[in-house]
Amino acid sequence: MAPAETDIAAYLAFFRSAEALKDTLRNSWTATGRRESTAEHSWRLALMAIALEEALPGIDHARLLRMLVLHDLGEALHGDVPAPLQGPDKTAEERADLQSLLAPLPEAAANRLLALWDEYNSLATPEARIAKGLDRLETVLQHVQGANPPDFDYAFNLGYGRRHSAAHPLIEALRAPVDEETAQLAARSTAERDET
């Protein structure tokens, strides 16, 4: 069944608003030294889930992918706040921004997407816990892979999101070598600062 003409306009309005995520920059740099966008972060998260599908039996992979694509969409309005600077109202503010972005959609679609976002943030399901763990893993991986500025705080990443990545043995195992690399970068960064 084809959507009504008003629904077509609603979907297009939502897609146009969501485009802002492509220009929402994170506190992460690519290997070439360019700031990473939130959309790029979400893309690699989705790619990670696709690649890990056989290693995550019993997981609803379609649901997991939906969460990963959606989890940071609210940042399209007011940007990404680096983890060390996040206040206690960050989740509520991001949810309100997401609701604003979803407003043009038909009610059923908006409610479905908001419910997925709530599921992710409440860690209510195995898919949500894996999504959160992958989100933390992707972030620390980008931080060791990126051409970061000289004052980048690698040491912060050693504790960042650890409880989320430790919630699944596969994600914990994937994070272990990244943490080793992070520790080496933190030590090197500290030594370089001490020399100056």
Side-chain angles (χ1 to χ4, degrees):
M1 174 190 302
E5 192 172 314
T6 55
D7 287 350
I8 297 290
Y11 286 121
L12 288 173
F14 169 68
F15 299 154
R16 286 186 172 115
S17 296
E19 190 265 349
L21 202 64
K22 293 180 180 184
D23 289 321
T24 301
L25 300 180
R26 292 169 53 82
N27 196 35
S28 299
W29 285 259
T30 67
T32 63
R34 179 182 56 78
R35 292 274 304 268
E36 173 194 39
S37 77
T38 302
E40 291 167 320
H41 160 70
S42 295
W43 166 81
R44 186 155 76 166
L45 274 172
L47 182 64
M48 290 164 70
I50 291 167
L52 295 170
E53 186 169 350
E54 291 82 13
L56 295 168
I59 295 300
D60 181 340
H61 288 275
R63 186 171 203 79
L64 174 60
L65 282 170
R66 287 185 202 106
M67 275 187 237
L68 294 174
V69 169
L70 186 67
H71 83 287
D72 277 341
L73 182 58
E75 294 178 6
L77 292 185
H78 291 103
D80 175 56
V81 178
L85 305 177
Q86 290 176 2
D89 298 331
K90 187 243 185 212
T91 301
E93 291 165 359
E94 195 171 322
R95 188 179 194 275
D97 287 345
L98 179 62
Q99 286 179 296
S100 179
L101 284 167
L102 297 175
L105 285 173
E107 185 177 355
N111 289 342
R112 178 173 44 82
L113 296 179
L114 187 61
L116 274 169
W117 190 90
D118 286 339
E119 180 182 333
Y120 168 82
N121 279 287
S122 68
L123 304 171
T125 61
E127 290 79 9
R129 290 186 290 279
I130 287 171
K132 188 72 86 166
L134 287 174
D135 177 50
R136 298 318 191 241
L137 172 62
E138 198 286 330
T139 298
V140 295
L141 177 60
Q142 188 61 52
H143 288 167
V144 299
Q145 190 173 4
N148 302 312
D151 63 343
F152 190 83
D153 184 6
Y154 291 99
F156 176 81
N157 283 339
L158 292 171
Y160 174 68
R162 180 156 309 284
R163 74 180 176 99
H164 298 298
S165 55
H168 192 280
L170 174 61
I171 299 170
E172 187 173 34
L174 288 166
R175 181 167 174 160
V178 176
D179 282 345
E180 288 175 23
E181 192 174 352
T182 300
Q184 291 169 3
L185 289 167
R188 185 179 316 141
S189 178
T190 299
E192 288 171 359
R193 276 196 295 270
D194 289 347
E195 289 176 6
T196 58

